[in-house]
Amino acid sequence: MKILRRKTRQVHLGALPVGGGAPISVQSMCSTDTRNVRATVRQARRLRAAGCEVIRIAVPDDEAARALPRIRRALPGVPLVADIHFDHKLALAAVDAGFDGLRLNPGNIGGPARVREVVAAARERKVPIRVGVNAGSVEKDLAARHGGPTPRAMAQSALRHVRIIEDAGYREIKVSVKSFDVPSTIDAYSLLAAELDYPFHAGITEAGTAFSGGLRSGVGLGILLYLGLADTIRVSLTADPVMEVTAGFRILKAMGLRRRGADVVSCPTCGRCHGDVLGIASRIEKRLTGVTEDIRVAVMGCEVNGPGEAREADVGLAIGRSGGLLFREGKAARKVPESEMEPALVEEVRKVLSAKA
Amino acid sequence: MKILRRKTRQVHLGALPVGGGAPISVQSMCSTDTRNVRATVRQARRLRAAGCEVIRIAVPDDEAARALPRIRRALPGVPLVADIHFDHKLALAAVDAGFDGLRLNPGNIGGPARVREVVAAARERKVPIRVGVNAGSVEKDLAARHGGPTPRAMAQSALRHVRIIEDAGYREIKVSVKSFDVPSTIDAYSLLAAELDYPFHAGITEAGTAFSGGLRSGVGLGILLYLGLADTIRVSLTADPVMEVTAGFRILKAMGLRRRGADVVSCPTCGRCHGDVLGIASRIEKRLTGVTEDIRVAVMGCEVNGPGEAREADVGLAIGRSGGLLFREGKAARKVPESEMEPALVEEVRKVLSAKA
């Protein structure tokens, strides 16, 4: 499977490059009340620990803006993006506080003079501005002209905002055009790719709760990544944002685009299955949640695909009629009775991880 | 987004057409001990209630084979597939019991005479045979020649099994070439598409537990479907198989390929969020799990995308500073205080569903 990434300019969020061939980064957004600095910083640290490479924070009003300097100081070196709508002063405050990026649609901050003011501030610190169009907030005139928030309406909306920034003489831009609808999202990004060479922030918006939102994001981001249309991704889930980060890396890893984190191969179980595959797989996956090393663990319940899959993993357990067969780095290591399978698996995983560390 | 489905022959599992332009079907597999007829039938009925269109059952031994007639009788009209390895008598028993399909790799049932016997039985009832190659069970000679269970080794293995059936003069065939690895799976199906015109059963095998396996299956099946390489799908999850069915329909619906079931649009919540979006979205999603109607419900927590998304849904709730705004079929229906938001949403959904029914 060949992925030809679209050629783009490169922008930087702090030290993190986005686009221009940089690794596809994973981002998320704090779900806390921004005015609650303690809760926001605590959540941002949890996101960072999960590997989150860019953290976005909503700035709905002046009180939230006043919290930004303290949030910034508490998270040195972390690429932070301020999410702003309608009020250009909030953008100025975010740049002033040392935030590394803005998400802001310049068509809705009150006219060209204010846009120039924001761009001047952004330019001084080389802060990129993301134009972020969502199907739910496409301008009424465009929706009317195109018969709803269609891919063409979304792309036109994004182009309109982008042109405003370009007219102010600035080109440190990222763009997103997200919808809940997967085909619309693919089409909107494809349309924009023909017009712009700014990096794309990609995602499926308002995708839903963890399981269904994960499926939808897997489908949408899988195709966007396959088409080379993503430079940084956010998986939107109605869930703890840490799950967005886990999901983001899992998607990139499944595509062979990043190598971070553990994979647990486990069979769906069937009438041929021996042992508690679901329990063992779930527990080992949970145990490996924070791990950054590239490791593959297999938990398989039968003789048909079990030994084969276990052999392909760093550590594998193939459960048979009379206990488990433990594999390490492609070789059958030892037989273990059923009661000792799980601790033996955990022990082998620990050894492989410390060898990798 | 245009999906050009690969042109294939059509086979039938009972009354269900697969390939040749038929709707892409969703299947799953019982995780029960097949010898336990009561548990197997109970699970199959739950799968059926969730919309499962083909149910596969493992037949590991004679005792399991003896249970098949009772399972068959308890599930009239349901397309049933017997999953068989190594022992051709089990396949004969399954055909004899009235099963609608076989999953069986003829290279491993003990020679041409036995293959001819199985094919003769299958032909009599026009029972299709699925050649199902998994990375974990690629033949040793092919893995050795290709340096592991590579896409080429998987495709070669499938071709070898297919040729055995063709040599016995039979063409009611489906094929799958599944791996845990997404790029390998895509490549293996792509290689086979150039060689065969049999319908493809598609999936990512041993994908893992619900959340991570769902992400991986979303990515892999999303791309396979985008490339037109799937005629029937199974999402493999280490979880209750009913979740595989839900996931399958959600993936197809996200791609615009089927229209079954409810979608819940919900925002990821941020510093701008009002109300208990996670709780309300999760509960309404749960309530809508069994629903077969094509309905979209939005639960949104802010003024930025909220009203827009709520307007695009059949029923939408946009939560603001002072309670919720309820939308129905694109129009703002009424304002509701926070305490009445959820029951009002449920009530509107109920009305829309009974209008659709």
Side-chain angles (χ1 to χ4, degrees), chain B residues 300-316:
Chain B
M300 302 287 296
C302 87
E303 294 87 353
V304 175
N305 300 308
E309 285 292 349
R311 210 182 297 276
E312 290 297 309
D314 292 292
V315 183

Side-chain angles (χ1 to χ4, degrees), chain B residues 103-123:
Chain B
R103 183 269 173 115
L104 160 155
N105 292 344
N108 70 26
I109 61 167
R114 288 173 176 177
V115 173
R116 279 192 300 272
E117 217 180 322
V118 171
V119 164
R123 189 199 318 272

Side-chain angles (χ1 to χ4, degrees), chain A residues 313-335:
Chain A
D314 293 292
V315 182
L317 174 66
I319 310 177
R321 227 173 279 270
S322 56
L325 187 55
L326 210 60
F327 290 78
R328 183 160 163 201
E329 283 151 7
K331 291 188 185 96
R334 57 195 163 107
K335 282 199 158 186

